[in-house]
C-alpha cells in the first residue's frame, strides 16, 4: 500500500522483501569463510570473499529499495521516528562494542600485568611462573611475544589524524546547516570536504601501520600491547572506512536532490555515525597513544 507523508495513520511495511532472508545467508557464508580462514583452511579465504561480496550486493540492493521508497513518499512521521530509534540503538551497540575493547585495555594495564609482577594477590604467580618480571606499559607481557618493539609517538601522525577527524566533525556540521538552510552548493562543498578528510585519515592510518610493521617491529604479535593497539585502531579504522563510504553515497544523493531541508534523515543518520567515530577516536588517542 503506497502512502505519503500526509497519511499519518498508516505505517508503511514493505511486502515480500527477500533481503532479510538472503542477507542472513550471505552473512552466514561470510562467517564460515573467515572462521575457516583463521583456522588455516585454504578454502576459507575464497568463501569469505564470496560471502562478503554477496553481503555488499545485498546491502546495495536493500538500501536502494529503502531510498526508492523514501523518494516515492511512502514514509511518514511514524516511519521516520522508527528509523531514528533504530539508528540510536545501532550507535549504542557500537558504543558497547568499543567499550568492551577499552575494557580489555584497562584490565590488562591495571590488573593483569600488576598481578603477573607480584602485586596484590599475584605474589605466588610472579614467584613461580614469571620470577623477576616487572610490569610496565607498553609491554609484550612476561613471555615477550614478538620481541622488542617501539611505540608510535602520540604527537606525530596520531595527532595529525586527531586534528583531521575533529575538522571533519566541523565540516559535516556546516554541511548539515547548509542542507537545512537550502544552500545546495555549500552542502556539496562541505560534505565533499568531509569525505576527503575521511580518505586522508585512512591514508595516514595506513602509513602508520606500514611504519609500525616495517620499522618498529610493532605487529599484532607484539604481545598484549600489539594486540590491543591493532584491535582498537584497526576496528576504528574499519568504522572510518564505512563512515567515509556512507558519506560518499550521501554526497551523491545530495547531488541528485534526494533530501530537502525538512526531510533528510539519511543525512542525519550518517552524521550521527560520523560524530560517534570522532568521539571514539578522541578516547583512543588519549588512552592508546598518550597515556
Amino acid at each position: 500500500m503506497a502512502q505519503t507523508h500526509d497519511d499519518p495513520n498508516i505505517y508503511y511495511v514493505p511486502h515480500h522483501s527477500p533481503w532479510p532472508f538472503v542477507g542472513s545467508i550471505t552473512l552466514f557464508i561470510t562467517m564460515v569463510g573467515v572462521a575457516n580462514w583463521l583456522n588455516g583452511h585454504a578454502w576459507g579465504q575464497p568463501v569469505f570473499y564470496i560471502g562478503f561480496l554477496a553481503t555488499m550486493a545485498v546491502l546495495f540492493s536493500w538500501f536502494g529499495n529503502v531510498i526508492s521508497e523514501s523518494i516515492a513518499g511512502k514514509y511518514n512521521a511514524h516511519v521516520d521516528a522508527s528509523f531514528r530509534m533504530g539508528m540510536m540503538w545501532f550507535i549504542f551497540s557500537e558504543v558497547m562494542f568499543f567499550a568492551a575493547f577499552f575494557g580489555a585495555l584497562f584490565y590488562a594495564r591495571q590488573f593483569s600485568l600488576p598481578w603477573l609482577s607480584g602485586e596484590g594477590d599475584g605474589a605466588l604467580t610472579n614467584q613461580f611462573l614469571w620470577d623477576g618480571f616487572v610490569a610496565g606499559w607498553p609491554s609484550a607481557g612476561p613471555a615477550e611475544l614478538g620481541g622488542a618493539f617501539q611505540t608510535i609517538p602520540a604527537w606525530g601522525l596520531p595527532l595529525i589524524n586527531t586534528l583531521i577527524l575533529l575538522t571533519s566533525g566541523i565540516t559535516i556540521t556546516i554541511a548539515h546547516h547548509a542542507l537545512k538552510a537550502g544552500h545546495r552548493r555549500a552542502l556539496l562543498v562541505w560534505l565533499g570536504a568531509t569525505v576527503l578528510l575521511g580518505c586522508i585519515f585512512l591514508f595516514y592510518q595506513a602509513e602508520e601501520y606500514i611504519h609500525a610493521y616495517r620499522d618498529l617491529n610493532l605487529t599484532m604479535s607484539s604481545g598484549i600491547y600489539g594486540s590491543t593497539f591493532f584491535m582498537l585502531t584497526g576496528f576504528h579504522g574499519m568504522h572510518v572506512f564505512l563512515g567515509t563510504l556512507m558519506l560518499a553515497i550521501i554526497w551523491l544523493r545530495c547531488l541528485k536532490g534526494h533530501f530537502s531541508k525538512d526531510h533528510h534523515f539519511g543525512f542525519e543518520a550518517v552524521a550521527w555515525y560520523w560524530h560517534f567515530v570522532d568521539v571514539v577516536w578522541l578516547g583512543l588517542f588519549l588512552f592508546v597513544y598518550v597515556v
Side-chain angles (χ1 to χ4, degrees), residues 151-223:
T151 61
I152 297 174
W155 311 115
L157 281 180
L159 176 60
I160 293 174
N161 266 349
T162 301
L163 296 175
I164 288 172
L165 274 189
L166 289 177
T167 304
S168 72
I170 295 172
T171 57
I172 196 170
T173 301
I174 296 174
H176 192 191
H177 285 291
L179 174 57
K180 291 192 291 185
H183 298 155
R184 177 183 173 87
R185 182 179 179 83
L187 164 65
L188 293 173
V189 169
W190 290 107
L191 184 56
T194 308
V195 174
L196 178 60
L197 289 170
C199 293
I200 295 173
F201 177 93
L202 291 171
F203 172 79
Y204 282 132
Q205 192 73 54
E207 287 288 309
E208 181 179 289
Y209 277 10
I210 292 172
H211 175 58
Y213 266 77
R214 183 181 60 195
D215 304 321
L216 305 180
N217 194 37
L218 175 59
T219 70
M220 291 186 67
S221 301
S222 298

Side-chain angles (χ1 to χ4, degrees), residues 63 87 90 191 195 239-252 266 269-270 273-274:
F63 279 99
M87 192 63 189
F90 170 70
L191 184 56
V195 174
H239 282 72
V240 173
F241 170 76
L242 292 175
T244 303
L245 180 61
M246 289 189 291
L247 286 170
I249 293 172
I250 291 297
W251 188 90
L252 291 173
V270 176
Y273 183 86
W274 194 253

Side-chain angles (χ1 to χ4, degrees), residues 99-113:
F101 293 148
F102 278 108
L105 175 66
F106 175 80
Y107 187 86
R109 293 183 61 172
Q110 300 300 320
F111 295 101
S112 295
L113 287 174

